[in-house]
């Protein structure tokens, strides 16, 4: 959960398992894969926005508070992130409104195993037949439909629909589809399984580097301490992610929560990714200082 503060615990319920793509009958009115969760935040996170072309064959099909991207590769579509479970139908409606068939979605890329970004993946995978792609640690969280024990927000608990049809990719691996090559970038810190994605979008002879960045803010449940010895891998993860993001070609930045990247739905100003890193470094430094002086929650 990637907002400035941690998310409240949500209703506990049994995880729902999704295997290979299903040729499902019409879904029941109470669809377990789209059952609403995080209602207090959902109104703000899922405030509707029209689909928007970013550049070339890259679009936004998400919401005011949660980014979801769509890439037309010429040989199929790629979706990035799935928002909350109840968001899946609206995401697919946005895809249709752009003139695309959701059944042409071949891959769904996951940024992090938190319900506000992966809660909708199970329904989206079921309804499109797409394969979900994630890091190894991210896949662990998606299969569990729950926060992993080393997640700074683990104490919030709760579950969301599980995904089992997952392709695991490594840091630096390239997913090639049609004329588009999408590179996976491990960006641990917010979670140890976080993954960011980059690709080039072109119009005529002009190409731009687009980065869909996972959250990099140090959000945690009350009582978690980044200064604890057990958190050393998390801090090393932040350092590695900052270095990586500082050096990425980045003409256009999309962040998992749009407001983390600045005003608007994406940031196309020079140095967008470096600004994103500077924000993360500042938040982390402030958090560590608060823990050292005893003012952290």
């Amino acid at each position: 959960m990637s907002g400035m503060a941690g998310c409240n615990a949500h209703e506990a319920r049994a995880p729902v398992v999704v295997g290979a793509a299903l040729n499902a009958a019409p879904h029941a009115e109470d669809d377990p894969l789209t059952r609403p969760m995080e209602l207090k935040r959902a109104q703000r996170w899922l405030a509707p926005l029209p689909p928007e072309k970013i550049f070339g064959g890259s679009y936004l099909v998400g919401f005011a508070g949660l980014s979801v991207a769509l890439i037309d590769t010429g040989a199929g579509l790629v979706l990035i992130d799935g928002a909350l479970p109840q968001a899946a139908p609206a995401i697919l409606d946005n895809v249709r409104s752009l003139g695309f068939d959701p059944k042409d979605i071949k891959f769904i890329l996951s940024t992090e195993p938190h319900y506000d970004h992966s809660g909708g993946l199970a329904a989206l995978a079921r309804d499109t037949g797409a394969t979900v792609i994630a890091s190894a640690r991210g896949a662990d969280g998606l299969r569990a439909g729950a926060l992993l024990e080393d997640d700074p927000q683990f104490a919030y608990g709760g579950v969301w629909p599980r995904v089992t049809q997952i392709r695991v990719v490594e840091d630096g691996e390239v997913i090639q589809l049609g004329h588009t090559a999408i590179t996976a970038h491990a960006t641990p810190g917010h979670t140890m399984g976080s993954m960011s994605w980059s690709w080039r979008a072109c119009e005529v002879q002009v190409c731009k580097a687009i980065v869909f960045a996972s959250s990099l803010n140090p959000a945690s449940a009350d009582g978690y301490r980044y200064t604890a010895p057990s958190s050393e891998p998390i801090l090393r993860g932040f350092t590695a992610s900052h270095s990586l993001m500082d050096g990425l070609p980045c003409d256009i930045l999309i962040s998992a929560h749009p407001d983390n990247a600045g005003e608007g739905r994406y940031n196309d100003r020079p140095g967008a990714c470096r600004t994103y890193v500077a924000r993360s470094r500042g938040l982390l430094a402030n958090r560590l200082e608060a823990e050292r002086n005893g003012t952290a929650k």
Side-chain angles (χ1 to χ4, degrees):
M1 290 67 78
S2 317
M4 291 293 296
C7 296
N8 297 326
H10 43 273
E11 296 180 12
R13 51 188 169 80
V16 179
V17 181
V18 175
L22 304 179
N23 296 317
H27 313 315
E29 183 175 338
D30 179 23
D31 181 356
L33 299 193
T34 60
R35 193 171 293 152
M37 59 191 306
E38 195 57 53
L39 298 181
K40 291 182 180 179
R41 289 175 178 251
Q43 186 173 4
R44 172 169 54 87
W45 279 344
L46 300 183
L49 289 175
E52 180 178 344
K53 180 177 178 177
I54 304 171
F55 190 79
S58 299
Y59 305 84
L60 288 171
V61 292
F63 311 91
L66 290 171
S67 296
V68 181
L70 180 75
I71 307 169
D72 177 13
T73 73
L77 305 172
V78 176
L79 202 65
I80 305 180
D81 266 358
L84 292 162
Q86 65 266 39
I91 292 170
L92 297 183
D93 283 345
N94 284 342
V95 171
R96 293 185 189 97
S97 73
L98 290 170
F100 297 114
D101 184 349
K103 292 293 185 182
D104 289 332
I105 298 173
K106 307 302 182 185
F107 301 124
I108 306 173
L109 313 183
S110 173
T111 59
E112 63 196 54
H114 280 173
Y115 68 82
D116 48 340
H117 307 290
S118 60
L121 296 182
L124 290 168
R126 176 195 64 192
D127 294 343
T128 65
T131 297
V132 174
I133 299 180
S135 70
R137 290 288 289 141
D140 288 341
L142 300 185
R143 293 187 187 103
L147 301 175
L148 299 177
E149 289 186 8
D150 62 356
D151 193 308
Q153 299 183 47
F154 177 72
Y156 286 128
V159 297
W160 62 90
R162 295 191 291 173
V163 183
T164 59
Q165 191 71 8
I166 303 173
R167 172 180 161 187
V168 171
V169 295
E170 297 181 355
D171 180 29
E173 190 168 337
V174 176
I175 297 105
Q176 182 75 49
L177 185 65
H179 52 59
T180 305
I182 306 169
T183 303
H185 303 281
T187 42
H190 187 74
T191 82
M192 289 304 289
S194 294
M195 189 75 86
S196 298
W197 309 91
S198 69
W199 66 98
R200 283 164 54 87
C202 300
E203 291 185 0
V204 191
Q205 295 185 11
V206 177
C207 294
K208 295 187 178 183
I210 302 181
V211 175
F212 192 117
S214 67
S215 297
L216 274 180
N217 54 323
S220 72
D222 291 351
Y224 181 87
R225 291 294 177 262
Y226 287 94
T227 50
S230 59
S231 298
E232 288 182 5
I234 295 283
L235 294 181
R236 289 196 299 270
F238 272 117
T239 298
S241 296
H242 292 158
S243 178
L244 170 94
M245 195 70 67
D246 263 338
L248 275 183
C250 180
D251 298 310
I252 299 172
L253 170 67
I254 306 163
S255 62
H257 285 273
D259 58 354
N260 288 347
E263 297 181 1
R265 300 179 76 175
Y266 58 90
N267 187 345
D268 59 357
R269 294 180 290 279
C273 282
R274 292 191 297 275
T275 300
Y276 191 61
V277 169
R279 176 183 183 274
S280 174
R281 284 192 176 112
L283 291 171
L284 183 58
N286 290 342
R287 173 58 186 267
L288 293 174
E289 179 61 24
E291 290 184 14
R292 293 182 183 116
N293 65 28
T295 59
K297 291 183 179 180

